[in-house]
Amino acid sequence: MLRFQHSEYLWALVLLLVLQLAFIGVSWWKRRSIRKLGDPTLVESLFLGYSRRLFVLKFLLLFVAFFFGVIGLANLQKGSRMEKITRKGVDVVIALDVSKSMLARDVKPDRLTRAKQLITKLMDKLDNDRVGLVVFAGSAYLQMPLTIDYSAARMYLSTVSPDMIPTQGTAVSQAIEVSTNAFNKMERKHKTLVIISDGEDHEEGSAEKARNAFGEGVVINTVGIGSPAGAPLTDPETGAPKRDREGNVVISKLNEDELKSIASAGKGVYAHLDNNTEDVVNTLVNKIDGMEQKEFGENIFTDYNSYFQYFLAICLVLIIAEFFIPEIRRPKEELVTLVKE
């Protein structure tokens, strides 16, 4: 199994685009300046030792060196020793709404980001439980099966965005069905589902699905995020408030009644998430800790081999090579003189 120990450093790869744009800008400026002086081929021949190829080569070396440097800092690792870990806990599947209404900003910085922060804090307190992740909008799918590898769970969570599911809507009933299938069908307890959503544009039959899931031993808790008064949605292309066909500003409102009915049918609890996540986390943890626990084991990697040194070595070699490559080529006469000496 391969993983990055510090995956957050991979965001620095975005700077490669900045470097590329800077290179294009400088190249365009040079060509423009040369054209102002006359014929580009003739002008370049007058510049003693000027070499466009050397300029490009030095940039490519720095570009590739930066790439390997970032990979080295993120520290690519491979699992080297696997052990079976036995724990007592319950199976927790978290179903996260990723519809575009979750980008409303009636909670800061927005509903989806606040929901992800809640999940992170919740996982910090579920050390002995297996965790799975389901994402849903107009449809739902299992993004991560049940596991006790919390580092992998956080990595999966960091990739969640509304672009994952093109079909819009809030298919809570489908999320319940997908989540229920993620549990062990042979068990009738030790299972709980946490649904985090604004409940907007929900499908009918969600409460019935929750009752059926509870019949299979799944306790369903719901977390409503947003405000009943709602907030306008922003058009990602223009940055202006989104409007419907009649020109009215689209307001996304929290549907608490729907989420409360699902929690009631699933014999769980409902919590409202605003700008304070601690109370909601404690409510969910108390409910989960109060459930009957089971003993389960799972094989996980406990030791990893690190390979950062190889990537950093390549980065260093490329930087040194770039340093010793001259910015201008030597004239032929000078080369002949050096050879004679």
Side-chain angles (χ1 to χ4, degrees):
M1 175 183 175
L2 295 175
R3 73 168 191 179
F4 286 103
Q5 183 182 12
H6 305 291
S7 59
E8 64 274 12
Y9 291 159
L10 295 177
W11 285 105
L13 293 175
V14 176
L15 294 177
L16 288 175
L17 178 61
V18 178
L19 287 175
Q20 188 173 9
L21 292 176
F23 173 75
I24 294 173
V26 172
S27 298
W28 175 83
W29 174 79
K30 283 188 174 184
R31 287 195 299 268
R32 182 186 178 192
S33 300
I34 290 174
R35 281 197 298 268
K36 287 183 177 180
L37 296 175
D39 179 69
T41 304
L42 178 60
V43 173
E44 286 185 11
S45 66
L46 297 176
F47 291 156
L48 185 63
Y50 174 77
S51 173
R52 184 182 299 177
R53 290 183 179 180
L54 288 177
F55 176 69
V56 174
L57 177 60
K58 288 173 69 68
F59 168 77
L60 289 177
L61 288 175
L62 289 177
F63 187 88
V64 177
F66 185 87
F67 171 80
F68 279 103
V70 172
I71 299 299
L73 291 176
N75 191 16
L76 182 66
Q77 295 181 318
K78 183 178 180 181
S80 59
R81 187 175 70 178
M82 181 175 285
E83 293 183 3
K84 185 172 184 179
I85 304 298
T86 302
R87 305 184 183 187
K88 280 189 175 182
V90 299
D91 288 339
V92 182
V93 172
I94 301 172
L96 176 59
D97 185 352
V98 296
S99 58
K100 293 190 182 299
S101 62
M102 290 289 285
L103 297 178
R105 298 180 178 178
D106 42 4
V107 293
K108 302 300 181 182
D110 57 63
R111 296 176 184 175
L112 183 58
T113 301
R114 179 62 64 176
K116 292 165 71 172
Q117 293 172 353
L118 169 68
I119 296 173
T120 299
K121 291 185 177 182
L122 179 61
M123 288 192 296
D124 289 341
K125 296 188 177 183
L126 296 179
D127 292 336
N128 294 323
D129 305 290
R130 294 199 303 174
V131 177
L133 180 63
V134 169
V135 292
F136 68 95
S139 57
Y141 73 91
L142 179 66
Q143 189 188 29
M144 183 190 72
L146 288 163
T147 181
I148 56 175
D149 188 347
Y150 285 83
S151 61
R154 292 184 178 89
M155 182 182 67
Y156 278 107
L157 181 63
S158 66
T159 64
V160 168
S161 73
D163 297 329
M164 301 177 69
I165 303 179
T167 307
Q168 286 303 296
T170 307
V172 179
S173 59
Q174 189 174 345
I176 295 174
E177 183 178 355
V178 172
S179 301
T180 303
N181 292 333
F183 293 108
N184 187 341
K185 292 289 187 179
M186 303 301 294
E187 296 178 344
R188 292 293 174 179
K189 48 188 176 181
H190 320 300
K191 301 184 289 187
T192 185
L193 168 61
V194 179
I195 301 173
I196 305 175
S197 173
D198 54 24
E200 191 177 45
D201 296 331
H202 65 278
E203 293 180 336
E204 295 184 1
S206 299
E208 184 63 29
K209 285 281 187 180
R211 278 188 286 270
N212 295 337
F214 181 74
E216 297 184 26
V218 181
V219 176
I220 300 180
N221 306 294
T222 59
V223 176
I225 183 167
S227 63
L233 295 180
T234 302
D235 191 323
E237 296 182 358
T238 63
K242 192 174 182 179
R243 297 180 180 274
D244 57 21
R245 295 179 179 178
E246 286 73 32
N248 301 315
V249 175
V250 177
I251 303 294
S252 174
K253 299 180 180 180
L254 168 64
N255 187 346
E256 285 194 295
D257 292 338
E258 172 68 11
L259 295 171
K260 287 179 179 178
S261 66
I262 293 173
S264 176
K267 307 302 179 184
V269 296
Y270 168 78
H272 177 219
L273 176 62
D274 47 25
N275 291 313
N276 182 10
T277 60
E278 291 297 332
D279 292 341
V280 178
V281 170
N282 293 333
T283 298
L284 294 174
V285 169
N286 291 336
K287 178 66 176 178
I288 294 171
D289 288 346
M291 298 176 60
E292 183 178 349
Q293 299 184 340
K294 67 173 181 177
E295 185 175 284
F296 55 85
E298 185 168 341
N299 293 323
I300 65 170
F301 286 105
T302 56
D303 284 332
Y304 289 84
N305 291 328
S306 296
Y307 300 98
F308 69 93
Q309 61 273 22
Y310 301 108
F311 293 97
L312 293 181
I314 295 174
C315 173
L316 181 60
V317 169
L318 291 173
I319 291 176
I320 293 174
E322 189 277 336
F323 177 79
F324 282 101
I325 292 178
E327 293 187 6
I328 59 175
R329 62 190 173 196
R330 294 177 182 269
K332 293 182 180 180
E333 294 79 2
E334 183 178 346
L335 291 176
V336 171
T337 303
L338 289 174
V339 171
K340 289 182 178 179
E341 292 178 354

